Structure formats: C-alpha cells, structure tokens
Amino acid sequence: MAPERPTASPPQAQALSPPPARADSPAAAPAPRRPRLYYLDHLRATLTVLVVLHHAAMAYSTIPSWYYTDPGSGLIDVFVALNQTFSMGFFFLISGFFTPGSHDSKGARTFLRGRLVRLGVPLAAYLLLLHPALHLGTYLGDSSPEPYWRFYLATWGLGPMWFLEVLLVFSLVYALVRRIRPPRPTVPAPAHSAAMPGPAAVIGFLAVLAAATYLWRIAVPVDATWQVTGLPTPGYLPQYALMFAAGVLAFRKGWLNTVPRWAGRAGACAAVAMAPVYILLMGTMYEESLVPGSWQSLMVAAVESTLAVSAVLALLALFQRLFNRRTVGGAFLSDQAYAVYFLHPLVIVGLNYGLSPWEVPAVADFAVVAALCLPLCWGAAYLLRRLPGAKRVF
C-alpha cells in the first residue's frame, strides 16, 4: 500500500521512510485532526536531491571520501562544504518532528519494531550487498590485492547509511525517554498553529548549538571519523541531536503548522551573509580550526551553526508558503525518496566509472553525473518499490 501524504502529526511519516499507518492500533488515542503539511513532503524530496548531489560532487572534489575519486575542483568543494553545514541536520529535524506521532499511534513495541525493520533492513542490505559492489572497482584495481575478506574488513563502513544508524539510535533514545517520562494523556498535541518561538529563543538555540559543537569538537575534531560505527562525521553529532530534539518539540507545540514570515526573511538574510564568511574561514584557517579548543574552532562552530539554523528557517518558510499543497509530481518524488537514499551510491559510482575515460574538467564531470543520476535514482527507486514486500521497508 502506498504511503499516505503526511500531516502535522502523521503516524506514518518519517524524514525519509514513512511507515504505514495503523488506524486500529490500541495505542492510538483520539486527537484533534491536524492540517496536512504537504510542504514537508516536498522538503523531504528536495533534501534527498541535495544528498544525491552532495555525493555526486564528492567524487570530483578535493575531499577523498567517496568510493571513486578524480582530480578535484575547489569550486565543487564550496558546494560540498556549504551543503554539509545544514542538510543532514535538517533531515534529523524532520525525523524528530514525525517521531512522536508514530510512537503515539503505534505504542512503543510496534514503533520500535517498525524502526528496526525500516532502518535495520537497509543497513544490513548495504553491508551485505551494496558495500561489496561499491568497493569492487577499488579491489579489482589493486595490482596485488589481499584476500577479499581482509579488504572487506579494512573498508568496512556504512557509507551514506550512517544516517539510518544514527536515526535508529535517536529513535531508541526517544522511546526510552517516553517510557521514563510519558506525556500527560490529558493534554493532546495542539491541532492548530502555535506561535513559533521568537527571535530571542532562536538566538538562544543557536548559541547552545554553537557552544555544544565547539565543546564536542575538543574531544571529537570535525575531521574525525568513527570507523567502528561507520560514522563519517561525528563532529556534527551535537547538531544532529539538537535538531532531532527541536523537531520533537516542534511537533508537540505545533510550530511547523505556520512558519512566520520573520523567520524566513531573517533566515534567508543570515544564510546569505554567513555563506561567504564560512567559505572564507574554511579557506584561510581550516587547519587551525582543527586544533581542539582553539579560537578558530569556536569561530567556525559559531558561523557554521548560524548558517545551519538560518538555512533551515529560510527553507521551512519558503516551502510552507509556496509548496504546501499536494501535487502528483511532488507525491511521486517524495514516495521514492527513501529508496533513492538507499540506492543512490550505486547509481553514482556506476556513472563515475562509466564516465572515467572522459577527459574533461571536474566541474563538467560533476554536471553530467548530476544530470544523469537524479532521474536514474528515482527510476531505480520506483522499480525497487514495485518488488513484493519492498514498500514495507521503503
């Protein structure tokens, strides 16, 4: 059964993979019907496009963190760096927003069972199927390859699926918190628009995010990776956790029903102002910002956090005003988004190797891969979801 369109409190919605609703769940409690938030559908699809383009760009950047690399371009590095500041944090905010509704509707056991299926199955499939396929070119290109099992262990990781791993942990933590401190049943989540916190609260959240990021990076530098857990960007964990928590609170308060104009305008202005500042900082003091506890690290954390919060506010306001309606195209793109997230590394790496004989500048390579991979990813996702039982996961 195809997933329904999300509302402000759909039990079936998640940032990437909306679980099917259970109208007959004994855990479901009567609540006022919320307005449909179609714009979150469109945001989910747009953020998935950014993730796909981000990884397509990494093959042609100077950041050697992809399954395939070519001589890179600093111009592409700019796109990768700016996208990194907010896109995955935004995904966690949307995931956090839809988590309480799913938990309320299903109850803890069914909620956790659904999370294990929808997040755990793709993780296992990646490790068993996609990981070997994505690293095959590297292994075959080695003139004196070691035994494959050693190569597999040496390259072990979750790749882009790290997001599912972290989201699974956050979901488990949320369920544990709910068990310890259940919400009062006499106070349902608001069905109508509630005022989003004002500028002072936003600035306070931004300050907490910047301070948490700075302090965290004293122990976990921004360029650190956690090989055992497969997490490539642990330096951003404070952002992911705080955005998820903000999404949970936004659901309970009804903040995303109506995003105020001041938030969108202020967010857009701040994002436009902070983007060149961030690029300048990364270009002039990147090495110094890696030193734990340095003032450069504090400055980068502050500018990065400002850029992230500003971009999120600007996009929420923009999409809420212009795209808060159901469209056939938007529904199709959103329905396939989770499967696209799962399949996109395979599509991109295939294009990387297919275009490798083509001797052109890195920007041209990226442009061609970007133009081809988006329709191919959504087409492949559509076919995957037509397989029997696939929609239970994707």
Side-chain angles (χ1 to χ4, degrees), residues 54 57-64 72-84 278-279 282 363:
H54 183 90
M58 288 181 69
Y60 306 106
S61 71
T62 63
I63 306 169
S73 164
L75 184 62
I76 296 177
D77 290 351
V78 171
F79 167 72
V80 171
L82 290 176
N83 195 39
Q84 176 67 49
Y278 181 72
I279 295 303
M282 297 302 287
V363 173

Side-chain angles (χ1 to χ4, degrees), residues 161-183:
M161 301 306 119
W162 68 264
F163 171 77
L164 309 185
E165 176 191 34
V166 176
L167 182 56
L168 180 58
V169 172
F170 287 174
S171 299
L172 293 172
V173 171
Y174 176 81
L176 178 62
V177 171
R178 282 289 301 271
R179 183 175 179 85
I180 297 172
R181 296 185 60 186

Side-chain angles (χ1 to χ4, degrees), residues 18 48 56 99 103-104 110 129 136 138-139 144 147 157 165 189 204 278 299 303 330 339:
T48 305
T99 294
H103 188 282
D104 291 349
T110 305
L129 301 175
L136 184 61
T138 303
Y139 181 74
S144 56
E165 176 191 34
Y278 181 72
M299 182 173 292
V303 173

